[in-house]
Amino acid sequence: MVVWKSFVPSMSQVAEDLDSDEATVSLAVSLSVFATAMSAVFWASQSSVYGRRLMILWGIPFFCAGSVGVAMSTSIASLFFWRCIQAFGCAGRLPLGYGVVGDIYRLEERGGAMGMFSGVVLLGTMAAPTLGGLFTKYASWRDLHLVIAAWGCVEFIIIYLSLPETSHCHSVHNKGRVPARPRFLFVNPLRSLGLLRSPNLFLANIVAGIGMVTEFILLVPIAHTLGKQYNITSEAIIGACFLPHTIGNLLGAPVAGRFSDVVLRNWRRKREGEWVPEDRLRAVYIGGLILVPLSLVGFGLVTTYVEGTLGLVISLVLLFINGFGLDFVVLVVNSYSIDLLHSQSAEIVAAGNAFRGIISAIGISLVLPSVEYFGGLTTNIITALIVLAGYGLIHLIITFGDDMRASIDVGYTTSGNI
């Protein structure tokens, strides 16, 4: 997340430097999102044997090498290659982090804890676009990635010294006992994707994937929509325009997490203590039915028809609303996934991220051509309609969740959550 957001403000400079165009360079964002999603499955699956801590540490050298490679790229092909290495190295951090949260928090506290974790993660994404824009304007996009590589080295030291292992039964050799140091064992990373055979998890992650696409729909073409309408040409200012969306994410994460916990507790009370996992998904309606589609259509209308300072201010407010509302979709789906598969928390989050990454990568590859051909307003309206259809899938899961889980059992966890 941090890497692609820092990259977007520099796309015009990258295109000029590598003798290409922005539409082609934007594929580096799409490719890195896809690579991140698929690589996360690898790191999460290996964590079932070697634990969360070791997998996070192993990824950092790849991340640093990829960042240096991006900085040294002399062609679009080399840029794409090193972006994939960079993405591979940092891919495991989010699902493994969610796995740590799942390891140490109980059911009715988990949503709030995941919200706080997401909020801390978003502190970095809040600064990334602005720093990316500043580096592009006053130094170069190459210098930015060299600094990112140096930061990776600092991260390694901090994590090595401060992060304990939380998955105390991670070794498949020990069958739940306190694990000894395991012999080498490679776990098939595609095994985690099999968890999406569950209709509940498959449909929920379709909805989360559609939600994630809305972020790219708004932010990837921002220089062509908001920038063009309000005559913003500075990369640093374009990067700063990402801030409202990220602040919305930052504030929305703990609110969405805690709200989903409240919804779960209230429905459990109504059911006289019976836990129904799908009750958590009732929190999605705030984002999926109201905030996300409203912000999409509103942003398209304002950046098309409202000029001047008023239009710019309203556009930035709508970016904030989208970021805030998106947490009520993606974060709640992640919490629901961990509720269902607590014993495989990192694996299901990684599988969901991989699936959503495929959806996002397709969306990113289409966004600039769509904006150029149909215009920003039409693109946003179509996306908003798809989001509303996605909420219909959430309603389907809530209504028929028990029957859907009974149809295909992928090892749902019930003990230890209550």
Side-chain angles (χ1 to χ4, degrees), residues 1-3 5-7 9 123-133 144 239:
M1 184 73 77
V2 171
V3 176
K5 281 192 173 182
S6 66
F7 184 77
L123 288 174
T125 65
M126 183 168 65
T130 304
L131 291 176
L144 170 65

Side-chain angles (χ1 to χ4, degrees), residues 191-202 336-337 340-344 347-348 351 404-414:
R191 187 185 68 178
S192 298
L193 295 176
L195 298 173
L196 295 177
R197 293 181 294 112
S198 162
N200 305 61
L201 295 171
F202 179 73
Y336 169 69
S337 300
L340 285 186
L341 289 167
H342 181 230
S343 61
Q344 302 176 77
E347 290 91 332
I348 185 53
M404 293 166 68
R405 277 186 278 113
S407 66
I408 300 178
D409 186 353
V410 294
Y412 300 115
T413 303
T414 54

Side-chain angles (χ1 to χ4, degrees), residues 296-310:
L296 278 168
V297 176
F299 186 85
L301 287 170
V302 171
T303 54
T304 302
Y305 297 114
V306 183
E307 300 179 351
T309 302
L310 176 63

Side-chain angles (χ1 to χ4, degrees), residues 9 13 44 99 102 117 155-156 163-164 183 206 222 239 245 285 313 329 331 353 373 377 380:
Q13 190 183 94
F117 168 74
E155 274 189 326
F156 186 94
L163 179 67
R183 67 180 186 275
I206 286 179
I222 197 169
H245 191 279
Y285 83 88
V313 170
V329 180
L331 182 72
N353 283 352
Y373 186 79
L377 176 57
N380 286 15

Side-chain angles (χ1 to χ4, degrees), residues 32-219:
S32 64
V33 169
F34 176 76
T36 298
M38 299 307 296
S39 301
V41 178
F42 168 81
W43 295 115
S45 62
Q46 305 314 308
S47 77
S48 66
V49 177
Y50 301 105
R52 322 290 191 208
R53 179 178 183 272
L54 195 57
M55 291 301 97
I56 294 173
L57 290 173
W58 281 9
I60 293 177
F62 291 96
F63 171 67
C64 294
S67 298
V68 173
V70 169
M72 305 299 291
S73 295
T74 57
S75 67
I76 287 292
S78 62
L79 175 70
F80 286 0
F81 173 79
W82 288 112
R83 285 283 289 177
C84 287
I85 299 298
Q86 188 183 47
F88 175 75
C90 65
R93 300 180 186 192
L94 195 60
L96 293 174
Y98 280 131
V100 170
V101 173
D103 292 339
I104 62 180
Y105 282 92
R106 299 175 62 240
L107 171 68
E108 293 181 354
E109 301 171 339
R110 194 171 297 142
M114 290 181 68
M116 292 301 295
F117 168 74
S118 297
V120 172
V121 170
L122 288 165
L123 288 174
T125 65
M126 183 168 65
T130 304
L131 291 176
L134 288 171
F135 265 93
T136 302
K137 184 173 179 63
Y138 297 108
S140 76
W141 63 275
R142 298 181 186 277
D143 294 330
L144 170 65
H145 288 275
L146 290 175
V147 170
I148 289 174
W151 172 247
C153 297
V154 175
E155 274 189 326
F156 186 94
I157 296 171
I158 294 172
I159 293 170
Y160 182 82
L161 294 176
S162 63
L163 179 67
E165 180 55 60
T166 60
S167 180
H168 300 296
C169 296
H170 59 264
S171 175
V172 296
H173 301 284
N174 290 278
K175 307 299 183 183
R177 300 189 298 272
V178 176
R181 189 175 185 88
R183 67 180 186 275
F184 175 76
L185 177 64
F186 178 79
V187 180
N188 181 4
L190 299 180
R191 187 185 68 178
S192 298
L193 295 176
L195 298 173
L196 295 177
R197 293 181 294 112
S198 162
N200 305 61
L201 295 171
F202 179 73
L203 294 179
N205 278 286
I206 286 179
V207 176
I210 294 170
M212 287 177 61
V213 168
T214 68
E215 178 177 3
F216 300 111
I217 291 290
L218 291 176
L219 297 182

Side-chain angles (χ1 to χ4, degrees), residues 305-328:
Y305 297 114
V306 183
E307 300 179 351
T309 302
L310 176 63
L312 177 59
V313 170
I314 296 174
S315 298
L316 296 177
V317 170
L318 289 167
L319 287 176
F320 171 87
I321 292 172
N322 183 266
F324 190 90
L326 193 56
D327 286 317
F328 284 85

